[in-house]
Amino acid sequence: MPKPATTVNPKVEPSPALEKRVRRAFSTEYKLSIIQQAEACQHGELGELLRREKLYSNQLSQWRRERDERGLDGLKKSAPGPAPKKTAEQKRIEQLEKENDRLRKQIEIQNGCLTLQKKALDLLDMLDEDAS
């Protein structure tokens, strides 16, 4: 007897709660407005502001420090991770120097092979002269 057809939907829907979160990016204007709102807060209102905006106190401290050190340019988004130690030009020079060394070694090997072939021919010539 055949099995009855199932009516289960085979399509799988991912749960939005389980999906990977994306790191928030804050604009310069947003950071500046939060700093201004924080400075206008009375005693005890700062925590409410941070909870409402879902921010941490260390973010606010860092934004203030960046603003004090470099002005509005300090609040602009920077690239994540440490600053590169070498410029693109320095990396290119290093790459070319490595390639140059590799090619020099290759030429030395080829010259060694040619020298070996010349010596072998000289030995064969000496053997032919001795045999005749």
Side-chain angles (χ1 to χ4, degrees):
M1 188 173 222
K3 292 183 180 180
T6 58
T7 59
V8 176
N9 187 2
K11 187 176 180 182
V12 177
E13 297 279 336
S15 171
L18 298 177
E19 291 191 26
K20 185 176 179 183
R21 289 184 171 194
V22 180
R23 180 172 278 202
R24 294 189 296 172
F26 303 105
S27 68
T28 306
E29 294 80 22
Y30 176 77
K31 291 178 185 179
L32 192 58
S33 71
I34 294 295
I35 291 172
Q36 290 170 349
Q37 290 176 34
E39 290 172 352
C41 285
Q42 300 296 321
H43 180 72
E45 295 177 349
L46 182 60
E48 183 182 328
L49 170 70
L50 293 175
R51 281 189 295 277
R52 183 181 69 228
E53 297 295 329
K54 296 182 179 149
L55 296 172
Y56 292 100
S57 60
N58 64 345
Q59 286 174 306
L60 180 61
S61 301
Q62 181 181 358
W63 294 346
R64 283 178 174 163
R65 187 172 43 253
E66 289 171 349
R67 181 199 58 189
D68 293 342
E69 289 175 359
R70 296 182 302 233
L72 291 180
D73 290 338
L75 294 177
K76 290 184 181 174
K77 183 178 177 185
S78 62
K85 295 178 181 167
K86 297 178 182 176
T87 64
E89 184 176 289
Q90 289 173 332
K91 288 179 183 178
R92 180 70 176 146
I93 289 171
E94 190 174 287
Q95 178 188 5
L96 290 173
E97 286 175 348
K98 284 182 181 179
E99 184 179 356
N100 196 358
D101 289 341
R102 183 183 59 82
L103 292 173
R104 284 180 191 209
K105 288 177 184 176
Q106 190 175 2
I107 288 174
E108 285 178 21
I109 291 171
Q110 290 172 351
N111 284 340
C113 289
L114 288 174
T115 304
L116 190 61
Q117 287 176 348
K118 287 178 185 177
K119 287 181 181 179
L121 282 175
D122 289 342
L123 282 174
L124 287 175
D125 287 342
M126 287 174 43
L127 288 175
D128 285 342
E129 290 175 3
D130 289 343
S132 42

Coordinates of all heavy atoms in Angstrom, one line a residue, residues 11-87:
K11 N 10.9 23.9 2.3 CA 11.6 25.2 2.3 C 12.1 25.5 3.7 O 11.3 25.5 4.6 CB 10.8 26.3 1.7 CG 11.6 27.6 1.4 CD 10.7 28.6 0.8 CE 11.5 29.9 0.5 NZ 10.6 30.9 -0.1
V12 N 13.3 25.8 3.9 CA 13.9 26.2 5.2 C 14.1 27.7 5.3 O 14.7 28.3 4.4 CB 15.2 25.5 5.4 CG1 15.8 25.9 6.7 CG2 15.1 24.0 5.3
E13 N 13.5 28.3 6.3 CA 13.6 29.7 6.5 C 14.6 29.9 7.7 O 14.4 29.4 8.8 CB 12.2 30.3 6.9 CG 11.2 30.2 5.8 CD 11.3 31.2 4.8 OE1 11.9 32.3 5.1 OE2 10.8 31.0 3.7
P14 N 15.7 30.7 7.4 CA 16.6 30.9 8.5 C 16.0 31.9 9.5 O 15.3 32.8 9.2 CB 17.8 31.5 7.8 CG 17.3 32.1 6.6 CD 16.1 31.3 6.2
S15 N 16.4 31.6 10.8 CA 15.9 32.5 11.8 C 16.7 33.8 11.8 O 17.9 33.8 11.8 CB 16.0 31.8 13.2 OG 15.8 32.7 14.2
P16 N 16.0 35.0 11.8 CA 16.8 36.2 11.8 C 17.6 36.4 13.0 O 18.7 37.1 13.0 CB 15.7 37.3 11.7 CG 14.4 36.6 11.5 CD 14.6 35.2 11.7
A17 N 17.2 35.8 14.1 CA 18.0 35.9 15.4 C 19.3 35.2 15.3 O 20.3 35.5 16.0 CB 17.2 35.4 16.5
L18 N 19.4 34.2 14.4 CA 20.6 33.4 14.3 C 21.6 33.9 13.2 O 22.7 33.4 13.2 CB 20.3 31.9 14.0 CG 19.4 31.2 15.1 CD1 19.1 29.8 14.6 CD2 20.2 31.2 16.4
E19 N 21.1 34.8 12.4 CA 22.0 35.3 11.4 C 23.1 36.2 11.9 O 23.0 36.7 13.0 CB 21.2 36.1 10.3 CG 20.3 35.2 9.6 CD 19.6 35.9 8.4 OE1 20.2 36.8 7.9 OE2 18.6 35.5 8.0
K20 N 24.2 36.2 11.2 CA 25.4 37.0 11.6 C 25.1 38.5 11.7 O 24.5 39.1 10.8 CB 26.5 36.8 10.7 CG 27.8 37.4 11.1 CD 28.9 37.1 10.2 CE 30.2 37.7 10.6 NZ 31.3 37.5 9.7
R21 N 25.5 39.0 12.9 CA 25.3 40.5 13.0 C 26.3 41.3 12.3 O 27.5 40.8 12.1 CB 25.3 40.8 14.5 CG 24.2 40.3 15.3 CD 24.3 40.8 16.7 NE 23.0 40.5 17.4 CZ 22.7 41.0 18.5 NH1 23.5 41.8 19.1 NH2 21.6 40.7 19.1
V22 N 26.0 42.4 11.9 CA 26.9 43.3 11.2 C 27.3 44.4 12.1 O 26.5 45.0 12.9 CB 26.2 43.9 9.9 CG1 27.1 44.9 9.2 CG2 25.7 42.8 9.0
R23 N 28.6 44.8 12.1 CA 29.1 45.8 13.0 C 28.5 47.2 12.5 O 28.5 47.5 11.4 CB 30.6 45.8 12.9 CG 31.2 46.9 13.7 CD 32.7 46.8 13.7 NE 33.1 45.8 14.7 CZ 34.3 45.7 15.3 NH1 35.2 46.5 14.9 NH2 34.5 44.7 16.1
R24 N 28.1 47.9 13.5 CA 27.5 49.2 13.2 C 28.6 50.2 12.8 O 29.7 50.2 13.4 CB 26.7 49.8 14.4 CG 25.5 48.9 14.7 CD 24.6 49.6 15.8 NE 25.3 49.7 17.1 CZ 24.9 50.4 18.1 NH1 23.7 51.1 18.0 NH2 25.6 50.5 19.2
A25 N 28.3 51.1 11.9 CA 29.2 52.1 11.5 C 28.5 53.5 11.8 O 27.3 53.7 11.4 CB 29.5 52.0 10.0
F26 N 29.2 54.3 12.5 CA 28.6 55.6 12.9 C 29.2 56.7 12.1 O 30.4 56.8 11.9 CB 28.9 55.9 14.4 CG 28.4 54.8 15.3 CD1 29.2 53.9 15.9 CD2 27.0 54.7 15.6 CE1 28.8 52.9 16.7 CE2 26.5 53.7 16.4 CZ 27.4 52.8 17.0
S27 N 28.3 57.6 11.6 CA 28.8 58.7 10.8 C 29.4 59.8 11.7 O 29.1 59.8 12.9 CB 27.6 59.3 10.0 OG 26.7 59.9 10.9
T28 N 30.1 60.7 11.1 CA 30.7 61.8 11.9 C 29.7 62.7 12.5 O 29.8 63.1 13.7 CB 31.6 62.6 10.9 OG1 32.5 61.8 10.3 CG2 32.4 63.7 11.7
E29 N 28.6 62.9 11.8 CA 27.5 63.8 12.3 C 26.8 63.1 13.5 O 26.5 63.8 14.5 CB 26.5 64.0 11.2 CG 27.0 64.9 10.1 CD 27.8 64.1 9.0 OE1 27.6 62.8 9.0 OE2 28.6 64.7 8.3
Y30 N 26.6 61.8 13.4 CA 26.0 61.1 14.5 C 26.9 61.1 15.8 O 26.4 61.4 16.9 CB 25.7 59.6 14.1 CG 25.2 58.8 15.2 CD1 23.8 58.9 15.6 CD2 26.0 57.9 16.0 CE1 23.3 58.1 16.6 CE2 25.4 57.2 17.0 CZ 24.1 57.3 17.3 OH 23.6 56.5 18.3
K31 N 28.2 60.9 15.6 CA 29.1 60.9 16.7 C 29.1 62.3 17.4 O 29.1 62.4 18.6 CB 30.5 60.5 16.3 CG 30.7 59.1 15.9 CD 32.1 58.9 15.4 CE 32.3 57.5 14.9 NZ 33.7 57.3 14.4
L32 N 29.2 63.3 16.6 CA 29.2 64.7 17.1 C 27.9 65.0 17.8 O 27.9 65.6 18.9 CB 29.4 65.7 15.9 CG 29.7 67.1 16.3 CD1 31.0 67.2 17.2 CD2 30.0 67.9 15.1
S33 N 26.8 64.6 17.3 CA 25.5 64.9 18.0 C 25.4 64.1 19.3 O 24.9 64.7 20.3 CB 24.3 64.5 17.1 OG 24.2 63.1 17.0
I34 N 25.9 62.9 19.4 CA 25.9 62.2 20.6 C 26.8 62.8 21.6 O 26.4 63.0 22.8 CB 26.3 60.7 20.4 CG1 25.2 60.0 19.6 CG2 26.5 60.0 21.7 CD1 23.9 59.8 20.2
I35 N 27.9 63.3 21.2 CA 28.9 64.0 22.1 C 28.2 65.2 22.7 O 28.3 65.5 23.9 CB 30.2 64.3 21.4 CG1 31.0 63.0 21.1 CG2 31.0 65.3 22.3 CD1 32.2 63.2 20.3
Q36 N 27.5 66.0 21.8 CA 26.9 67.2 22.2 C 25.7 66.9 23.2 O 25.5 67.6 24.2 CB 26.4 68.0 21.0 CG 27.5 68.6 20.2 CD 27.0 69.2 18.9 OE1 25.9 69.0 18.5 NE2 27.9 69.9 18.2
Q37 N 25.0 65.9 22.9 CA 23.9 65.5 23.8 C 24.4 65.1 25.2 O 23.8 65.4 26.2 CB 23.0 64.4 23.2 CG 22.2 64.8 22.0 CD 21.5 63.6 21.4 OE1 21.1 62.7 22.1 NE2 21.3 63.6 20.1
A38 N 25.5 64.3 25.1 CA 26.1 63.8 26.4 C 26.6 65.0 27.2 O 26.5 65.0 28.4 CB 27.3 62.9 26.1
E39 N 27.2 66.0 26.6 CA 27.7 67.2 27.3 C 26.6 68.0 27.9 O 26.7 68.7 28.9 CB 28.6 68.0 26.4 CG 29.9 67.3 26.1 CD 30.8 68.0 25.1 OE1 30.3 69.0 24.5 OE2 31.9 67.6 24.9
A40 N 25.4 67.9 27.3 CA 24.2 68.7 27.7 C 23.4 67.9 28.8 O 22.5 68.5 29.4 CB 23.3 69.0 26.6
C41 N 23.8 66.7 29.1 CA 23.1 65.9 30.0 C 23.3 66.4 31.5 O 24.4 66.8 31.8 CB 23.5 64.4 29.9 SG 22.8 63.5 28.5
Q42 N 22.3 66.3 32.3 CA 22.4 66.6 33.7 C 22.9 65.3 34.4 O 23.0 64.2 33.8 CB 21.0 67.0 34.3 CG 20.5 68.3 33.6 CD 21.3 69.5 33.9 OE1 21.9 69.7 35.0 NE2 21.5 70.3 32.9
H43 N 23.1 65.4 35.7 CA 23.6 64.3 36.5 C 22.5 63.1 36.4 O 21.4 63.3 36.7 CB 23.7 64.7 37.9 CG 24.2 63.6 38.8 ND1 25.5 63.1 38.7 CD2 23.6 62.8 39.7 CE1 25.6 62.1 39.6 NE2 24.5 61.9 40.2
G44 N 23.0 61.9 35.9 CA 22.2 60.8 35.9 C 21.5 60.5 34.5 O 20.9 59.5 34.3
E45 N 21.5 61.5 33.6 CA 20.9 61.4 32.3 C 21.8 60.7 31.3 O 21.3 60.2 30.3 CB 20.4 62.7 31.8 CG 19.4 63.4 32.7 CD 19.0 64.8 32.2 OE1 19.7 65.3 31.3 OE2 18.0 65.3 32.7
L46 N 23.1 60.7 31.5 CA 24.0 60.1 30.5 C 23.7 58.6 30.3 O 23.7 58.1 29.2 CB 25.4 60.3 31.0 CG 26.5 59.8 30.0 CD1 26.4 60.5 28.7 CD2 27.9 60.1 30.6
G47 N 23.5 57.9 31.4 CA 23.2 56.4 31.2 C 22.0 56.2 30.4 O 21.9 55.3 29.6
E48 N 21.0 57.0 30.6 CA 19.7 56.9 29.8 C 20.0 57.1 28.3 O 19.5 56.4 27.5 CB 18.7 57.9 30.4 CG 17.3 57.8 29.7 CD 16.4 58.8 30.2 OE1 16.5 59.2 31.4 OE2 15.5 59.3 29.4
L49 N 20.8 58.2 28.0 CA 21.2 58.4 26.6 C 21.9 57.3 26.0 O 21.6 56.8 24.9 CB 22.0 59.7 26.6 CG 22.7 60.0 25.2 CD1 21.6 60.4 24.2 CD2 23.7 61.1 25.3
L50 N 22.9 56.7 26.7 CA 23.6 55.6 26.2 C 22.8 54.4 26.0 O 22.9 53.7 25.0 CB 24.8 55.3 27.1 CG 25.9 56.4 27.2 CD1 26.9 56.0 28.2 CD2 26.5 56.6 25.8
R51 N 21.9 54.1 26.9 CA 21.0 52.9 26.8 C 20.0 53.1 25.6 O 19.8 52.2 24.8 CB 20.1 52.7 28.0 CG 20.9 52.0 29.1 CD 20.0 51.6 30.3 NE 19.5 52.8 31.0 CZ 20.0 53.5 31.9 NH1 21.3 53.1 32.3 NH2 19.4 54.5 32.5
R52 N 19.5 54.3 25.4 CA 18.6 54.6 24.3 C 19.3 54.4 23.0 O 18.7 53.9 22.0 CB 18.0 56.1 24.5 CG 17.0 56.4 23.4 CD 16.5 57.8 23.5 NE 17.5 58.7 23.2 CZ 17.9 59.8 23.9 NH1 17.3 60.1 25.1 NH2 18.8 60.6 23.5
E53 N 20.5 54.9 22.9 CA 21.3 54.8 21.6 C 22.0 53.5 21.5 O 22.7 53.2 20.5 CB 22.3 56.0 21.5 CG 21.6 57.3 21.5 CD 20.8 57.6 20.3 OE1 21.1 57.0 19.2 OE2 19.8 58.3 20.4
K54 N 21.9 52.6 22.5 CA 22.6 51.3 22.6 C 24.1 51.5 22.3 O 24.7 50.9 21.5 CB 22.0 50.4 21.5 CG 20.6 50.0 21.8 CD 20.0 49.1 20.8 CE 18.6 48.8 21.2 NZ 17.7 48.5 20.2
L55 N 24.7 52.4 23.1 CA 26.1 52.7 23.1 C 26.8 52.3 24.4 O 26.1 52.2 25.4 CB 26.4 54.1 22.8 CG 25.9 54.7 21.4 CD1 26.0 56.2 21.4 CD2 26.7 54.0 20.3
Y56 N 28.1 52.2 24.4 CA 28.8 51.9 25.6 C 29.5 53.2 26.0 O 29.9 54.0 25.1 CB 29.9 50.8 25.4 CG 29.2 49.5 25.2 CD1 29.1 48.9 23.9 CD2 28.8 48.7 26.3 CE1 28.5 47.7 23.8 CE2 28.2 47.5 26.1 CZ 28.1 47.0 24.9 OH 27.5 45.7 24.7
S57 N 29.8 53.4 27.3 CA 30.5 54.6 27.7 C 31.9 54.7 27.2 O 32.4 55.8 26.9 CB 30.6 54.6 29.3 OG 31.3 53.5 29.7
N58 N 32.6 53.6 26.9 CA 33.9 53.7 26.3 C 33.9 54.2 24.9 O 34.8 54.8 24.4 CB 34.7 52.3 26.4 CG 34.0 51.2 25.7 OD1 32.9 51.3 25.2 ND2 34.8 50.2 25.5
Q59 N 32.8 53.9 24.2 CA 32.7 54.5 22.8 C 32.6 56.0 22.9 O 33.3 56.7 22.1 CB 31.4 53.9 22.1 CG 31.5 52.5 21.7 CD 30.2 52.0 21.1 OE1 29.1 52.1 21.8 NE2 30.2 51.5 19.9
L60 N 31.8 56.5 23.8 CA 31.7 57.9 24.0 C 33.0 58.5 24.4 O 33.4 59.6 23.8 CB 30.6 58.2 25.0 CG 30.3 59.7 25.3 CD1 29.8 60.4 24.1 CD2 29.3 59.8 26.4
S61 N 33.7 57.9 25.3 CA 35.0 58.4 25.7 C 36.0 58.4 24.6 O 36.7 59.4 24.4 CB 35.6 57.5 26.8 OG 34.7 57.5 27.9
Q62 N 36.0 57.4 23.8 CA 36.9 57.3 22.6 C 36.6 58.4 21.6 O 37.5 59.1 21.1 CB 36.8 55.9 22.0 CG 37.8 55.8 20.8 CD 37.7 54.4 20.1 OE1 36.9 53.6 20.6 NE2 38.4 54.3 19.1
W63 N 35.3 58.6 21.3 CA 34.9 59.7 20.4 C 35.3 61.0 20.9 O 35.8 61.9 20.2 CB 33.4 59.6 20.2 CG 32.9 58.4 19.5 CD1 33.6 57.5 18.8 CD2 31.5 58.0 19.4 NE1 32.8 56.5 18.3 CE2 31.5 56.8 18.6 CE3 30.3 58.5 19.8 CZ2 30.4 56.1 18.3 CZ3 29.2 57.8 19.5 CH2 29.2 56.6 18.8
R64 N 35.1 61.3 22.2 CA 35.6 62.5 22.8 C 37.1 62.7 22.7 O 37.6 63.8 22.3 CB 35.2 62.6 24.3 CG 33.7 62.9 24.5 CD 33.5 62.9 26.0 NE 32.1 63.3 26.3 CZ 31.5 63.1 27.4 NH1 32.1 62.4 28.4 NH2 30.2 63.5 27.6
R65 N 37.8 61.7 22.9 CA 39.3 61.7 22.8 C 39.7 62.0 21.4 O 40.6 62.8 21.2 CB 39.9 60.4 23.4 CG 41.4 60.4 23.5 CD 41.9 59.1 24.1 NE 41.3 57.9 23.7 CZ 40.4 57.2 24.5 NH1 40.1 57.6 25.7 NH2 39.9 56.0 24.0
E66 N 39.1 61.3 20.4 CA 39.4 61.5 19.0 C 39.1 62.9 18.6 O 39.9 63.6 17.9 CB 38.7 60.5 18.1 CG 39.2 59.1 18.3 CD 38.3 58.1 17.6 OE1 37.1 58.5 17.2 OE2 38.7 56.9 17.5
R67 N 38.0 63.5 19.1 CA 37.6 64.8 18.7 C 38.6 65.8 19.4 O 39.0 66.8 18.7 CB 36.2 65.2 19.2 CG 35.7 66.6 18.9 CD 34.6 67.1 19.8 NE 35.0 67.0 21.2 CZ 34.2 67.2 22.2 NH1 32.9 67.4 21.9 NH2 34.6 67.1 23.4
D68 N 39.0 65.6 20.6 CA 39.9 66.5 21.3 C 41.3 66.5 20.6 O 42.0 67.5 20.5 CB 40.0 66.2 22.7 CG 38.7 66.4 23.5 OD1 37.9 67.2 22.9 OD2 38.6 65.9 24.6
E69 N 41.8 65.3 20.2 CA 43.1 65.2 19.6 C 43.2 65.7 18.2 O 44.1 66.4 17.8 CB 43.5 63.7 19.6 CG 43.8 63.2 21.0 CD 44.1 61.7 21.0 OE1 44.1 61.1 20.0 OE2 44.4 61.2 22.1
R70 N 42.2 65.3 17.3 CA 42.3 65.7 15.9 C 41.1 66.5 15.4 O 41.0 66.6 14.2 CB 42.4 64.4 15.1 CG 43.7 63.7 15.4 CD 43.8 62.4 14.5 NE 42.7 61.6 14.8 CZ 42.7 60.3 15.1 NH1 43.9 59.7 15.2 NH2 41.6 59.6 15.3
G71 N 40.2 66.9 16.2 CA 39.1 67.7 15.8 C 38.1 66.8 15.1 O 38.0 65.6 15.4
L72 N 37.3 67.4 14.2 CA 36.3 66.7 13.5 C 36.9 65.6 12.6 O 36.2 64.6 12.3 CB 35.4 67.6 12.6 CG 34.5 68.6 13.4 CD1 33.7 69.4 12.5 CD2 33.6 67.8 14.3
D73 N 38.1 65.7 12.1 CA 38.7 64.7 11.3 C 38.9 63.4 12.1 O 39.0 62.3 11.6 CB 40.1 65.2 10.7 CG 39.9 66.2 9.7 OD1 38.8 66.3 9.1 OD2 40.8 67.0 9.4
G74 N 39.1 63.6 13.4 CA 39.3 62.4 14.3 C 38.1 61.5 14.4 O 38.1 60.3 14.7
L75 N 36.9 62.1 14.1 CA 35.6 61.4 14.2 C 35.3 60.6 13.0 O 34.4 59.8 12.9 CB 34.5 62.3 14.6 CG 34.5 63.0 16.0 CD1 33.4 63.9 16.2 CD2 34.5 61.9 17.1
K76 N 36.0 60.9 11.9 CA 35.7 60.2 10.6 C 36.1 58.7 10.7 O 37.0 58.4 11.5 CB 36.5 60.8 9.5 CG 36.0 62.2 9.1 CD 36.8 62.7 7.9 CE 36.2 64.1 7.6 NZ 37.0 64.8 6.6
K77 N 35.4 57.9 10.0 CA 35.6 56.5 10.0 C 37.0 56.2 9.5 O 37.4 56.6 8.5 CB 34.5 55.8 9.2 CG 34.6 54.3 9.2 CD 33.5 53.7 8.4 CE 33.7 52.2 8.4 NZ 32.8 51.5 7.5
S78 N 37.7 55.3 10.3 CA 39.0 54.9 9.9 C 38.9 53.4 9.5 O 38.0 52.7 9.8 CB 40.0 55.1 11.0 OG 39.6 54.3 12.1
A79 N 39.9 53.0 8.8 CA 40.0 51.6 8.4 C 40.2 50.7 9.6 O 41.0 51.1 10.5 CB 41.1 51.4 7.3
P80 N 39.6 49.5 9.6 CA 39.8 48.7 10.8 C 41.2 48.1 10.8 O 41.8 47.9 9.7 CB 38.7 47.6 10.6 CG 38.5 47.6 9.2 CD 38.7 49.0 8.7
G81 N 41.7 47.7 12.0 CA 42.9 47.0 12.1 C 44.1 48.0 12.2 O 43.9 49.2 12.1
P82 N 45.3 47.5 12.4 CA 46.4 48.4 12.6 C 46.8 49.1 11.3 O 46.5 48.6 10.2 CB 47.5 47.4 13.0 CG 47.1 46.1 12.5 CD 45.6 46.1 12.5
A83 N 47.5 50.2 11.4 CA 47.9 50.9 10.2 C 49.0 50.1 9.5 O 49.8 49.5 10.2 CB 48.4 52.3 10.6
P84 N 49.1 50.1 8.2 CA 50.1 49.4 7.5 C 51.5 49.9 7.8 O 51.6 51.1 7.9 CB 49.7 49.5 6.0 CG 48.8 50.7 5.9 CD 48.2 50.8 7.3
K85 N 52.5 49.0 8.0 CA 53.8 49.5 8.3 C 54.6 49.9 7.0 O 55.5 50.7 7.1 CB 54.6 48.3 8.9 CG 54.0 48.0 10.3 CD 54.7 46.8 10.9 CE 54.0 46.5 12.2 NZ 54.4 45.2 12.8
K86 N 54.1 49.4 5.9 CA 54.8 49.8 4.6 C 53.8 50.4 3.6 O 52.7 49.9 3.6 CB 55.5 48.6 4.0 CG 56.5 47.9 4.8 CD 57.1 46.7 4.2 CE 58.1 46.1 5.1 NZ 58.6 44.8 4.5
T87 N 54.3 51.3 2.9 CA 53.4 51.9 1.8 C 53.3 50.9 0.7 O 54.1 50.0 0.6 CB 53.9 53.3 1.4 OG1 55.2 53.1 0.7 CG2 54.1 54.2 2.5

